[in-house]
Amino acid sequence: MAKRSKARRRALEILFEAEQRDMDPFEVLRVRRERADLIVNEYVLELIDGVKSEQEHIDEILATYARGWTLERMPRVDLMALRIGAWELLCNTEIPDNVAVSEAVALVKELSTDDSPSFVNGLLGRIQVLKPTLVEVDDVE
């Protein structure tokens, strides 16, 4: 598994645990590091920070384009993968759009329900198509 793929999985695990425990993701990471002498890839930190700082905007976009689904109704693993994928699509110019989508799909294929890959692929694919209209004016400068 490539380093960034592993980083995405680790970030998803931390974001998931943080939501389940109602904790800050960086606090979850700190506790994990203390318990296991964990070495953390820099991209894990970038993903967590990016998702955390843009979560309100990302959730608004996901809620708007998830036809027939509310964020509350989505499987939590799917939501974390969607947040990571949406952040990579909309905020990280280093990651090709197709990679962001396929990596999020791979995460849910491994960790979630049988229906999750097509759901995540469809929603992130829709966001990818609409990306030019979703970029905020501040982001263009």
Side-chain angles (χ1 to χ4, degrees), residues 61-102:
I61 290 169
L62 293 174
T64 299
Y65 296 104
R67 296 178 185 151
W69 285 84
T70 63
L71 297 183
E72 293 75 24
R73 189 171 160 233
M74 290 178 195
R76 302 333 282 168
V77 170
D78 294 7
L79 180 57
M80 298 311 133
L82 284 164
R83 285 174 175 162
I84 290 168
W87 180 81
E88 286 187 317
L89 273 172
L90 301 171
C91 304
N92 189 343
T93 57
E94 293 178 18
I95 303 297
D97 291 353
N98 289 339
V99 171
V101 174
S102 66

